[in-house]
Amino acid sequence: MKLRLRRPVPTARRSALAVVTAAATLGLAGCSVFSPAVVLQPYQPSDGLGGAIGGLDLRNVLVIASDVDEPGVLTAVVVNASDEPATVSVSIDVDAGEPAAQSFFVDARTSLRLGDPGAVAEDDAADDAGRGSQLGWVQVPQIPVSPGETVPVTFRVGGESQTIEAPVHLPCFEYATITPTVPAAEPTAAATPSSSVTCGPVPGETPDAEHE
């Protein structure tokens, strides 16, 4: 039986393979440098925007309106995770001079839900301790932009303020019950629609195919 001896790889070929391997390694490293992992990039896991002010967290801030120049309602969640109560002032800038602000009491370790259909006036909901309802209603007579655009919403706590460019959404799907009242300003138990809105299919659902 004859034994076959493996020919040694020439030195020049080994050098070329080493160069190719090194280039491939650097290429992969470059991809990770110039394309950071998406999971490391912060994002807003909701339709609205968020922020923080005076120890309060602002979550899912957006405005509900059926069309341009129609009434709009602010929806947001204000979370007070501290051991101290706070008062937050909220206003929506609709280019009509100084926007009127509404103030809400947020007790310690609680949250305030703005735009909840069950919201009532704070004076009517106040208990013996003078604490208001944890539901709130902020409405303006007209939103000067169309759904899909943004309006400035300003939150104030003490001497601090923060303005969030809140996106405007149609009163559809999970926001269908947040319907502006007519006239604006006073919250009511039963909201009166200001105009009809046609909503598309529910996100994620496939419309049924038409059969002949």
Side-chain angles (χ1 to χ4, degrees):
M1 182 177 62
K2 295 182 179 180
L3 296 177
R4 294 184 179 181
L5 300 178
R6 181 176 296 178
R7 296 180 180 179
V9 179
T11 302
R13 186 177 177 183
R14 288 199 302 269
S15 299
L17 289 174
V19 170
V20 171
T21 303
T25 303
L26 290 175
L28 292 174
C31 291
S32 63
V33 171
F34 296 105
S35 300
V38 175
V39 295
L40 299 180
Q41 298 179 356
Y43 75 102
Q44 298 288 343
S46 60
D47 295 321
L49 299 180
I53 178 175
L56 303 179
D57 289 332
L58 310 175
R59 301 177 183 175
N60 200 27
V61 180
L62 54 89
V63 174
I64 305 300
S66 60
D67 205 347
V68 62
D69 292 333
E70 291 291 335
V73 175
L74 172 68
T75 175
V77 178
V78 181
V79 180
N80 184 4
S82 71
D83 295 324
E84 298 294 331
T87 298
V88 58
S89 174
V90 187
S91 61
I92 305 176
D93 188 353
V94 290
D95 299 327
E98 184 68 20
Q102 293 179 242
S103 296
F104 300 93
F105 180 88
V106 189
D107 208 346
R109 300 290 177 179
T110 62
S111 61
L112 167 71
R113 298 206 315 268
L114 297 175
D116 190 293
V120 294
E122 184 172 329
D123 291 339
D124 296 336
D127 57 23
D128 295 337
R131 296 175 179 176
S133 169
Q134 293 305 296
L135 304 178
W137 190 264
V138 179
Q139 179 174 327
V140 293
Q142 288 183 322
I143 296 296
V145 299
S146 300
E149 300 182 71
T150 64
V151 292
V153 178
T154 300
F155 295 84
R156 292 183 175 86
V157 178
E160 298 182 46
S161 66
Q162 181 178 13
T163 299
I164 295 177
E165 288 293 331
V168 179
H169 282 254
L170 289 169
C172 294
F173 311 122
E174 64 265 42
Y175 308 115
T177 59
I178 308 175
T179 307
T181 59
V182 178
E186 291 296 332
T188 59
T192 303
S194 58
S195 62
S196 60
V197 176
T198 301
C199 300
V202 177
E205 287 190 358
T206 302
D208 294 335
E210 295 183 0
H211 300 282
E212 296 181 358

